[in-house]
Amino acid sequence: MRKCDRTICEANLGGCGCPVKIKACRPTTTVDCSILVSRQTLILYTIESGIGNLNKASIRSEKALAAFCAHSVSISIGICQGYSAILIPQIKNSDMNVTTEQTSWLASLGAITNPVGSVLSGVLAEYFGRRRSIQFSSLPFILGWICIGVAKDVNMLYIGRLISGIAAGMSTACYIYVSEISSADNRGFLQALGPICASFGILLTYTLGYYMRWSYVAFISIVFGVFSTITIQFLPESPGYLLKNNRTAEGFQVYLWFRRNNALAQQEMDRYHENQSKNNQNKEDANGKNIYFSPQTLKPFFILVVLFLLQEFSGIYTLLFYAVNFFEETDLNLNEYVASIIVGVLRFSMSIVAAFLINRFGRKILCTFSSLGMTVTMLTLAVYVMYYEKNPDEEKILRYLPLMGVIFNVMFSMVGMLPIPWVMVGEMFPLEVRPIMSGVVICLAQTFIFICVKIYNDMIEFLNFSGTLLVFVSASILSIVFCKFVLPETKDKSLEEIEESFRKDKVLEGFDNRAFDITSEDANKGGNDIFTIKVNK
């Protein structure tokens, strides 16, 4: 316990950027790490989940800017993912004389080295910091696009796709960084900026591919790699990395920079130390058992792996890599590039919508709803295609039904099943293993993407187009069941609370985590009320 004076009050409020002015402060008042504010100031606080957030809009905009800079790498990732959709149709009509087998490799090579990038990103984030890992990921993008842009034969295209594929897999550090600078109430929105940036990159690729040659698109893509490298330099390091490496003072300063409030920054520090104490106690109880084999690590690992497996085999990324070819298979009487651009616009728009929905409805319900919508739309498309495969002589009716089916499938996928697994990978693992395990999970996810993309042509050959669509339908049905009954809800939970839920072997529950006890007292006989907001220890 210590006595409060004007110096302490100003250090807690005005010293951290808060606009509050102290009108009265009684030196005789005894408080424990308290902040004194007037009744008028209390209006500025928005109480959500028991947490008082001062000047909340300002805090959110600051964190949103940092999150965007971190996720700007995802623009290049989106370009890489959508690039084969414009590359393959163009080189088929060029003097390169590529075969169907070579085109399948050009599509899949953009994904085959993704697992290498995922593991590399996790290792770099663990030993060199999240910020440096994000910067490093831009370098292979720049080199890869140069190789593609100057390519005169298919072998140089292979090399460029392999190198850029490594960079496309290095999204691990982005999601870890954003999860560690975010608070529980806005983490979902800030993490959703990653899929938004990726969707923008895809749309940009489809649009540029309609107007210009594939080599010019590659050269333009270099700009985004340079942009990410420069902007990341101006961000502070992740507080999670700093605290894990015993750089406590720096970690507190970063929390203070993002929270703009001394009490909230101290609350984050207290939560971290409390969680570390629990982990140390668990290690003693388990006789030093490795945390990599603990429930709080293994449970989220298996949940995320299954979630990504269902995501990939529901056709989300296959449609992405083969967008133009996909519309050719539907025999749609519409320019395939224009159809792809329409899907790209819709995907980008829905990714923005999903960013606002994720904090309102949570991860679990959105994934379940998303899987249900994908099942219905893909099943409709599969039945339509199957009918005309069996009756090829009949004149097609409802010729725009395939386009509508794809459009609504993309809409439903963007609401939940495409962005949310990437959001959750940065928030479900304990701090001690977060970079490595996130890298491993994303590595497996990228492996699933490569498999799905590589076998797409083979699936069409052996199962026909309708049979391939039915495989996507089956995965979507399984996804409904998994998301409804297995996937945990992490909405409004701090990273420490998510870890605690797996440690205690229970499903995540609602909580009332009151960060502050608010009391009032009469500061003087004139009735000037002073509110003491006491930080709970």
Side-chain angles (χ1 to χ4, degrees):
M1 303 292 283
R2 65 185 180 188
K3 291 185 177 181
C4 174
D5 56 30
R6 183 177 296 276
T7 302
I8 294 176
C9 292
E10 290 176 349
N12 281 330
L13 288 172
C16 64
C18 175
V20 175
K21 302 297 183 183
I22 305 299
K23 292 184 177 181
C25 186
R26 295 186 299 175
T28 57
T29 304
T30 302
V31 296
D32 181 14
C33 299
S34 296
I35 304 171
L36 300 183
V37 296
S38 67
R39 181 185 293 277
Q40 292 81 1
T41 303
L42 190 62
I43 300 175
L44 297 175
Y45 281 83
T46 301
I47 307 299
E48 288 186 3
S49 301
I51 299 177
N53 244 344
L54 182 61
N55 203 7
K56 192 172 183 180
S58 174
I59 295 173
R60 281 188 172 178
S61 63
E62 194 136 331
K63 282 189 286 190
L65 180 60
F68 170 75
C69 291
H71 280 310
S72 64
V73 175
S74 294
I75 298 177
S76 297
I77 294 175
I79 295 173
C80 185
Q81 290 176 340
Y83 191 72
S84 62
I86 67 166
L87 172 66
I88 294 173
Q90 288 190 23
I91 63 173
K92 276 184 176 180
N93 301 319
S94 69
D95 55 0
M96 284 192 182
N97 297 319
V98 295
T99 64
T100 301
E101 180 66 16
Q102 287 175 321
T103 59
S104 72
W105 277 110
L106 283 174
S108 58
L109 284 178
I112 193 174
T113 50
N114 287 174
V116 177
S118 301
V119 174
L120 180 61
S121 179
V123 173
L124 290 174
E126 173 71 15
Y127 294 104
F128 295 96
R130 288 49 159 160
R131 188 166 66 103
R132 291 300 177 205
S133 179
I134 297 172
Q135 280 185 311
F136 290 151
S137 68
S138 299
L139 301 181
F141 266 130
I142 296 173
L143 179 59
W145 291 126
I146 292 176
C147 291
I148 293 174
V150 302
K152 300 299 181 181
D153 55 46
V154 71
N155 292 324
M156 184 59 75
L157 288 175
Y158 284 161
I159 294 173
R161 290 290 282 168
L162 283 169
I163 296 175
S164 60
I166 293 175
M170 297 180 70
S171 61
T172 305
C174 305
Y175 288 95
I176 294 173
Y177 181 88
V178 175
S179 72
E180 292 179 351
I181 68 171
S182 307
S183 53
D185 64 322
N186 57 32
R187 188 177 60 247
F189 174 81
L190 296 179
Q191 287 285 43
L193 292 176
I196 290 176
C197 290
S199 298
F200 173 76
I202 293 167
L203 173 59
L204 180 66
T205 305
Y206 290 165
T207 305
L208 292 177
Y210 179 71
Y211 290 104
M212 61 183 63
R213 193 169 183 266
W214 54 268
S215 57
Y216 299 149
V217 177
F219 286 126
I220 291 175
S221 302
I222 296 174
V223 174
F224 296 97
V226 175
F227 173 82
S228 298
T229 304
I230 295 174
T231 56
I232 294 300
Q233 184 62 35
F234 296 99
L235 298 182
E237 182 52 85
S238 156
Y241 172 78
L242 295 173
L243 293 177
K244 184 180 179 181
N245 287 275
N246 298 318
R247 295 161 64 178
T248 307
E250 294 177 68
F252 177 80
Q253 289 300 319
V254 173
Y255 274 131
L256 190 59
W257 193 84
F258 281 114
R259 302 298 184 264
R260 289 295 188 239
N261 184 284
N262 194 38
L264 296 180
Q266 185 60 51
Q267 182 193 25
E268 297 281 4
M269 297 293 293
D270 291 343
R271 187 184 291 122
Y272 166 77
H273 289 301
E274 181 181 355
N275 190 62
Q276 288 300 105
S277 298
K278 291 180 180 179
N279 283 336
N280 293 334
Q281 182 61 44
N282 287 340
K283 287 180 181 179
E284 294 178 4
D285 296 340
N287 297 320
K289 182 179 178 180
N290 195 313
I291 191 172
Y292 283 92
F293 300 99
S294 64
Q296 60 265 38
T297 299
L298 293 178
K299 290 177 182 178
F301 172 76
F302 287 115
I303 289 173
L304 287 170
V305 168
V306 174
L307 186 62
F308 273 112
L309 182 66
L310 294 173
Q311 179 201 64
E312 268 53 287
F313 279 90
S314 64
I316 292 176
Y317 285 96
T318 303
L319 174 61
L320 175 65
F321 277 74
Y322 287 101
V324 175
N325 302 67
F326 192 90
F327 286 113
E328 288 177 349
E329 292 287 348
T330 61
D331 194 25
L332 184 65
N333 189 23
L334 179 68
N335 184 286
E336 293 84 1
Y337 286 94
V338 174
S340 299
I341 292 173
I342 293 173
V343 172
V345 170
L346 183 64
R347 180 189 172 103
F348 177 62
S349 302
M350 289 304 298
S351 66
I352 297 176
V353 173
F356 290 95
L357 292 178
I358 193 171
N359 272 352
R360 181 175 180 83
F361 296 102
R363 285 62 156 160
K364 187 183 183 78
I365 188 172
L366 286 180
C367 279
T368 305
F369 174 75
S370 173
S371 300
L372 177 62
M374 290 167 62
T375 300
V376 174
T377 54
M378 193 61 75
L379 180 60
T380 303
L381 179 58
V383 171
Y384 179 89
V385 171
M386 183 180 295
Y387 178 83
Y388 286 105
E389 283 179 350
K390 293 182 177 180
N391 303 277
D393 297 330
E394 288 192 24
E395 184 179 353
K396 291 184 178 180
I397 61 173
L398 303 175
R399 297 186 66 89
Y400 284 90
L401 182 63
L403 177 61
M404 298 306 297
V406 172
I407 286 177
F408 280 102
N409 186 270
V410 170
M411 287 179 60
F412 283 115
S413 70
M414 290 306 303
V415 168
M417 277 304 291
L418 194 144
I420 288 180
W422 298 101
V423 169
M424 298 184 75
V425 77
E427 64 184 13
M428 289 181 68
F429 288 112
L431 175 61
E432 291 86 346
V433 301
R434 189 172 296 146
I436 301 298
M437 291 306 298
S438 296
V440 171
V441 168
I442 293 180
C443 171
L444 292 174
Q446 302 288 7
T447 302
F448 299 151
I449 293 175
F450 164 72
I451 293 173
C452 292
V453 171
K454 184 65 181 72
I455 67 175
Y456 175 71
N457 287 329
D458 296 324
M459 290 174 66
I460 289 185
E461 181 178 349
F462 290 104
L463 301 175
N464 295 325
F465 189 47
S466 60
T468 302
L469 297 179
L470 288 176
V471 172
F472 299 158
V473 171
S474 301
S476 297
I477 293 173
L478 291 175
S479 181
I480 296 173
V481 178
F482 181 81
C483 295
K484 175 65 177 177
F485 298 104
V486 180
L487 189 67
E489 180 56 74
T490 58
K491 176 180 177 290
D492 291 335
K493 310 296 189 296
S494 69
L495 298 179
E496 291 79 12
E497 287 163 340
I498 295 171
E499 179 182 347
E500 179 68 13
S501 68
F502 289 116
R503 182 189 293 120
K504 286 186 175 182
D505 190 23
K506 66 177 181 179
V507 178
L508 293 176
E509 302 168 352
F511 71 100
D512 184 19
N513 183 25
R514 297 189 181 279
F516 302 101
D517 291 332
I518 301 180
T519 59
S520 66
E521 61 183 13
D522 209 14
N524 52 49
K525 292 182 180 180
N528 183 18
D529 288 341
I530 299 293
F531 286 80
T532 302
I533 301 182
K534 185 179 296 183
V535 180
N536 289 331
K537 290 294 185 181

